[in-house]
Amino acid sequence: MAKSRNNLLGVGGQRKKLSAAERQGAGPARDKDRKVAEDRKQELVRKMRERAAAAEAAPAQDAPAQDAPAGS
């Protein structure tokens, strides 16, 4: 009888025994991915704060020149 191409049960060797945490998606690779994601988020927040601070500082520097009485 010819080997069925659709029945792949048992193909690929033995699987690693997973802990309960790893079965729920909390394995070591996920921890590393979370760390990388957290680092990216912190970098983005830092850049956004710097831009916001620069945007607030720029109008504040121009404000005294605009508030001067005109024609007096």
Side-chain angles (χ1 to χ4, degrees):
M1 185 171 179
K3 194 174 197 179
S4 173
R5 298 275 181 208
N6 295 328
N7 185 10
L8 297 176
L9 184 64
V11 175
Q14 295 180 345
R15 294 184 179 167
K16 178 185 166 213
K17 301 281 185 189
L18 299 175
S19 69
E22 288 173 330
R23 282 186 299 230
Q24 293 177 357
R30 182 176 170 124
D31 293 340
K32 187 176 179 184
D33 290 342
R34 282 185 176 176
K35 176 73 171 137
V36 170
E38 183 65 25
D39 290 344
R40 286 183 183 170
K41 181 179 177 183
Q42 292 298 327
E43 183 68 17
L44 180 62
V45 169
R46 183 188 62 81
K47 286 180 182 179
M48 290 175 67
R49 286 184 180 151
E50 287 177 357
R51 288 180 187 157
E56 288 178 4
Q61 292 173 355
D62 295 338
Q66 293 174 354
D67 289 340
S72 294

